Amino acid sequence: MSDTATDLRVERKPKLSETVVAAIRRQLQAGEIPPGHKLPTEGQLTETFGVSRTVIREALVKLAADGLVEPRQGAGVFVTEHVSTMFGTLAADMGAKDSVALNVLEVRLAIEIESAGLAAIRRNAAQEAAIQEAFFEFERLLLDSQPTGPADLAFHRAIASATNNPFYVEMLDVLGRRAIPCDVTSPWSTELVQSDDYQRGLQREHLVILNAISAGDPEAAREAMRAHLGASQRRYRERLQARQAYYASSSTVAAGE
Amino acid sequence: MSDTATDLRVERKPKLSETVVAAIRRQLQAGEIPPGHKLPTEGQLTETFGVSRTVIREALVKLAADGLVEPRQGAGVFVTEHVSTMFGTLAADMGAKDSVALNVLEVRLAIEIESAGLAAIRRNAAQEAAIQEAFFEFERLLLDSQPTGPADLAFHRAIASATNNPFYVEMLDVLGRRAIPCDVTSPWSTELVQSDDYQRGLQREHLVILNAISAGDPEAAREAMRAHLGASQRRYRERLQARQAYYASSSTVAAGE
DNA sequence: AATCAGATTGTTGTATGATGACTTTTGAGC
DNA sequence: GCTCAAAAGTCATCATACAACAATCTGATT
């Protein structure tokens, strides 16, 4: 019995509709079609993507199941108002203010803690494999002394995805992209945060999370994620203070804590 | 009287695929087809339901989008293993739009749990008073047999406000406005949910939260909020199922040709 | 000129048949 | 008994046609 089920790289050929879903979803996320507006007709989409109407319809059904679009017979398919767009205005004006960034990070903490707990309960084999894969990718990059930021992001994203609740992933994307690059991809002081020790510490925390999720223990997963993000929050604060201290000293006064 | 026979605000006639989805979902929930087993082929389903393969495929796509089934080309459509085992059946077992609402509610759950914990730590005297005030307002309205919805909302909002993180309030507003009337302001079946017993239960849960926050115990506050919203989620699901059962019963007749 | 009923057109919903791709089963040959 | 090719079963995709519904345009009536 050659059981190929344990093969980790389950690279089945993507269905056509999935590629169409991905493409349209990307367009929507990029805001190319504002909420409330009409998508191209099924006929136009068939020409655009070069597939049959069957495939287009299947893709639209999936998007509708995710609540991204809403078909109306005789009228067309319309983009629904969505969480990300609600945060569009919210996210737009919180540019560089550090205190704002900390607050947003705190919201993200709430999201991720809960998603870790849900992931522990609901993840399927493929999703668990994706989390593991991100973990090992982090490991590999760490050994190669390459930037681990993307793998770190992928790790958190895989967990959000394992909740089987698309909004968690969307929230993470919106909050993460806008305010805080995950842990290490800080726009300033790149060397400081990328020390091996620092990233080793991250990996240790990641491992605890991964184990809890694999074990299907939601409380442990939440606790591990809380510890991880709490630590990240603390590190983030320290860096902010260090930077502020630098600016302060370079002007005139060194302000105390 | 018009023909459409529904004095409820049913908005629109359900698509054929939706009735098929509901029927299959019910069968899966009843365990008539165990996880891992194969569903009838598309051809058999067309005969069973008396609709075209187009409709059957659309229904299967929706079920697959919810993770209930998994199609394998050349083999058949199989019932997913894990999801139906846990309370996954609860997690993903209603129409597309409803599941979206549930997903948003779940995100809100994450936000509120964490905000309860933070409120327990950070609330100042005025904020604690505001929470209490909302609690007593609920009490007063309950005694007067008036709708308690606004007070309920105010209670949750006061807690979010006590985190001293404005984004928590904003998130709550955004999510609440979009998807979920807090506990009781449901657009349908208004009498059912507004029974005294129901609201008494809510108030009991509120009291536990209030006490934990007043005591400055973040873990207890989170746990109490988790219990409260978890219960709300359950109640919400039950209402959806009741509504769905109504639709299913009214549509099974049409399929019996 | 304004209004409203009806025709027209555009779009999604459903039905049908055919073909390709993939999996499983079958059976012949060794 | 084992191997492997052929066959059957099933999903994936394509193509076409018609039905149901919505928006728009047209034209007659007021």
Side-chain angles (χ1 to χ4, degrees):
Chain A
M1 318 279 189
S2 68
D3 192 0
T4 54
T6 54
D7 192 356
L8 281 189
R9 43 205 67 176
V10 268
E11 290 184 17
R12 75 176 208 288
K13 183 177 101 181
K15 295 180 21 174
L16 289 184
S17 65
E18 286 171 352
T19 71
V20 174
V21 164
I24 296 181
R25 178 173 272 141
R26 195 163 35 78
Q27 285 187 1
L28 294 182
Q29 197 153 1
E32 298 180 20
I33 306 176
H37 283 57
K38 196 167 79 69
L39 263 67
T41 69
E42 296 178 351
Q44 290 171 320
L45 288 175
T46 51
E47 289 191 359
T48 303
F49 290 99
V51 296
S52 75
R53 199 178 150 212
T54 307
V55 173
I56 295 295
R57 278 193 63 81
E58 188 166 322
L60 291 177
V61 166
K62 283 182 184 174
L63 290 172
D66 277 355
L68 286 170
V69 301
E70 179 184 4
R72 294 214 297 266
Q73 179 170 329
V77 181
F78 296 83
V79 182
T80 59
E81 299 140 33
H82 218 240
V83 177
S84 66
T85 64
M86 304 180 201
F87 283 93
T89 55
L90 180 89
D93 55 14
M94 63 183 181
K97 292 245 166 50
D98 294 330
S99 62
V100 171
L102 266 176
N103 280 340
V104 173
L105 175 60
E106 199 168 74
V107 170
R108 208 190 115 188
L109 187 135
I111 297 291
E112 290 216 54
I113 287 174
E114 204 56 27
S115 68
L118 290 176
I121 299 176
R122 300 187 185 159
R123 86 271 181 267
N124 63 29
Q127 290 162 339
E128 187 176 345
I131 300 174
Q132 283 183 348
E133 194 175 331
F135 179 84
F136 290 130
E137 176 71 6
F138 193 110
E139 195 76 18
R140 194 181 66 75
L141 294 174
L142 190 51
L143 291 180
D144 282 9
S145 300
Q146 287 184 288
T148 54
D152 186 45
L153 187 63
F155 181 77
H156 287 266
R157 222 167 162 285
I159 292 175
S161 176
T163 63
N164 288 301
N165 180 341
F167 286 99
Y168 273 115
V169 116
E170 192 171 348
M171 287 290 234
L172 190 58
D173 281 347
V174 171
L175 295 177
R177 181 181 349 118
R178 199 52 185 155
I180 302 94
C182 203
D183 293 307
V184 293
T185 60
S186 162
W188 62 83
S189 69
T190 41
E191 301 91 33
L192 173 67
V193 283
Q194 300 222 356
S195 75
D196 262 20
D197 274 358
Y198 180 88
Q199 297 185 57
R200 268 281 153 234
L202 288 184
Q203 244 336 41
R204 262 196 302 276
E205 295 167 8
H206 284 170
L207 182 59
V208 179
I209 299 171
L210 176 57
N211 283 338
I213 291 179
S214 293
D217 185 342
E219 289 187 28
R222 283 198 295 261
E223 217 39 60
M225 182 62 88
R226 183 186 302 281
H228 175 48
L229 291 182
S232 284
Q233 215 174 9
R234 203 170 48 250
R235 291 187 284 258
Y236 189 83
R237 275 208 196 88
E238 285 164 5
R239 267 182 281 150
L240 278 188
Q241 288 175 352
R243 192 172 58 143
Q244 282 172 354
Y246 168 75
Y247 285 150
S249 69
S250 73
S251 63
T252 36
V253 191
E257 172 180 341
Chain B
M1 289 303 195
S2 240
D3 47 348
T4 41
T6 50
D7 33 14
L8 307 180
R9 323 279 157 81
V10 185
E11 300 175 5
R12 75 176 207 283
K13 174 177 91 179
K15 301 193 343 186
L16 289 185
S17 65
E18 286 170 351
T19 71
V20 174
V21 165
I24 296 181
R25 211 190 290 268
R26 192 172 43 77
Q27 286 188 4
L28 294 183
Q29 192 165 356
E32 298 180 22
I33 307 176
H37 282 57
K38 196 167 80 70
L39 264 68
T41 70
E42 296 178 351
Q44 291 171 320
L45 288 174
T46 54
E47 289 190 359
T48 303
F49 289 99
V51 296
S52 73
R53 256 186 34 251
T54 308
V55 173
I56 295 296
R57 277 194 63 82
E58 188 167 322
L60 291 177
V61 165
K62 282 183 184 174
L63 290 172
D66 277 354
L68 285 172
V69 302
E70 179 184 3
R72 293 215 301 265
Q73 177 168 267
V77 182
F78 296 82
V79 182
T80 314
E81 294 279 3
H82 49 87
V83 182
S84 56
T85 59
M86 307 275 314
F87 64 96
T89 51
L90 309 173
D93 56 343
M94 36 221 53
K97 272 193 190 161
D98 296 334
S99 74
V100 168
L102 266 176
N103 281 340
V104 175
L105 175 60
E106 199 168 75
V107 170
R108 208 189 115 187
L109 187 137
I111 297 293
E112 290 215 55
I113 287 174
E114 204 55 29
S115 70
L118 290 175
I121 299 176
R122 299 188 188 158
R123 87 264 180 271
N124 62 30
Q127 290 163 338
E128 186 176 345
I131 300 173
Q132 284 182 348
E133 191 175 334
F135 178 84
F136 289 130
E137 175 70 5
F138 192 113
E139 196 75 17
R140 194 182 65 75
L141 293 174
L142 190 51
L143 291 179
D144 281 8
S145 300
Q146 288 185 285
T148 55
D152 186 44
L153 188 61
F155 181 78
H156 287 266
R157 227 167 158 284
I159 292 175
S161 177
T163 63
N164 289 299
N165 180 342
F167 284 97
Y168 274 114
V169 179
E170 205 154 343
M171 293 279 282
L172 190 57
D173 283 347
V174 167
L175 293 178
R177 189 184 332 130
R178 160 103 172 90
I180 317 347
C182 197
D183 294 308
V184 292
T185 60
S186 162
W188 60 84
S189 68
T190 42
E191 309 89 38
L192 173 68
V193 284
Q194 301 224 358
S195 75
D196 263 19
D197 274 357
Y198 180 89
Q199 299 184 54
R200 266 281 151 235
L202 287 185
Q203 205 43 347
R204 262 196 301 277
E205 295 168 7
H206 284 169
L207 182 59
V208 179
I209 299 171
L210 175 58
N211 284 337
I213 291 179
S214 294
D217 185 342
E219 289 188 27
R222 283 199 295 261
E223 217 39 58
M225 182 61 88
R226 182 187 302 281
H228 174 48
L229 291 182
S232 283
Q233 218 174 4
R234 202 170 50 248
R235 290 186 283 258
Y236 189 81
R237 280 204 195 92
E238 283 163 5
R239 268 182 280 153
L240 282 187
Q241 286 178 349
R243 192 172 57 141
Q244 214 179 26
Y246 168 75
Y247 285 149
S249 68
S250 71
S251 63
T252 38
V253 186
E257 160 66 14

